[in-house]
């Protein structure tokens, strides 16, 4: 019997095959998982509004894996993908804390990591490439999407 917080068999099976550098997407209920997560194993957990929340899933995964990097989709749409942040800029250097979605504070607290910024369209591309697991939740907060990189044991 598992002693970690995550007991979903589909998720645990995929996590067992993950290695250092594997990517996992946890998406809010608005995210187009079917179209924007490439060949990833897709797990749809959304039962109803806000059940479960992205933060619930993040906490459960944190009990199973080490997380090396956390990337988020940031508000703002210049209309030009070439002008969007591309996951190399720390969120606090890109957006002041008062302009960040409230959930980013929770993401930082749960992971203990800095968050890296992606523009909307660039995030979709990043989450469609080399992602092994995409989890859709019932989360209703906007910009509540997080792309995790699995770290070493």
């Amino acid at each position: 019997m598992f002693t970690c917080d995550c007991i979903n068999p589909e998720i645990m099976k995929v996590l067992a095959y993950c290695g250092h550098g594997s990517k996992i997407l946890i998406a809010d209920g608005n995210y187009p998982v079917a179209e924007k997560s490439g060949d990833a194993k897709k797990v749809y957990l959304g039962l109803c509004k806000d059940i479960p929340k992205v933060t619930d899933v993040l906490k459960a995964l944190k009990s199973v894996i080490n997380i090396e990097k956390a990337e988020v989709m940031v508000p703002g749409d210049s209309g030009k993908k070439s002008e969007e942040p591309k996951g190399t800029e720390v969120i606090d250097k890109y957006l002041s804390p008062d302009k960040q979605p409230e959930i980013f504070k929770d993401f930082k607290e749960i992971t203990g990591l800095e968050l890296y910024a992606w523009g909307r369209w660039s995030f979709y591309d990043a989450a469609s490439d080399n992602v092994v697991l995409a989890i859709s939740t019932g989360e209703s907060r906007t910009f509540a999407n997080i792309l995790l990189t699995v770290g070493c044991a």
Side-chain angles (χ1 to χ4, degrees), residues 24-33 36-37 53-55 58 69-75 91 101-104 107-108 111 115-121 123-124 127 134-148:
I24 299 166
L25 169 67
I26 308 172
D28 63 36
N30 300 305
Y31 192 94
V33 169
K36 303 292 185 189
S37 60
K53 292 181 181 279
V54 168
T55 49
L58 180 57
K69 187 175 183 183
E71 300 163 279
V72 294
M73 179 191 296
V74 296
I91 189 73
E102 186 179 309
I103 196 166
F104 288 7
F107 287 165
K108 290 177 196 176
T111 65
L115 303 177
Y116 288 83
W118 285 96
R120 178 180 177 188
W121 304 108
F123 187 92
Y124 286 154
I135 303 169
S136 178
T137 68
E139 181 73 62
S140 64
R141 291 177 283 184
T142 56
F143 295 99
N145 306 299
I146 188 166
L147 186 60
L148 307 172

Side-chain angles (χ1 to χ4, degrees), residues 13 20 25 31 37 41 55 57 59 70 82 93 100 103 129 140 151-152:
K13 180 179 178 181
H20 183 217
L25 169 67
Y31 192 94
S37 60
K41 168 67 176 170
T55 49
V57 175
K59 288 174 188 174
S82 62
K93 292 182 181 174
Q100 296 175 23
I103 196 166
D129 193 30
S140 64
C152 292

Side-chain angles (χ1 to χ4, degrees), residues 58-105:
L58 180 57
K59 288 174 188 174
L61 293 186
K62 181 96 166 82
S63 76
V64 181
I65 60 169
N66 288 321
I67 300 169
E68 178 177 280
K69 187 175 183 183
E71 300 163 279
V72 294
M73 179 191 296
V74 296
D77 191 359
S78 67
K80 296 180 183 177
K81 191 189 299 187
S82 62
E83 295 176 7
E84 293 183 337
K86 302 278 193 285
T88 57
E89 198 166 355
V90 174
I91 189 73
D92 291 338
K93 292 182 181 174
Y94 181 75
L95 279 178
S96 62
D98 62 311
K99 302 269 188 204
Q100 296 175 23
E102 186 179 309
I103 196 166
F104 288 7
K105 180 180 174 192

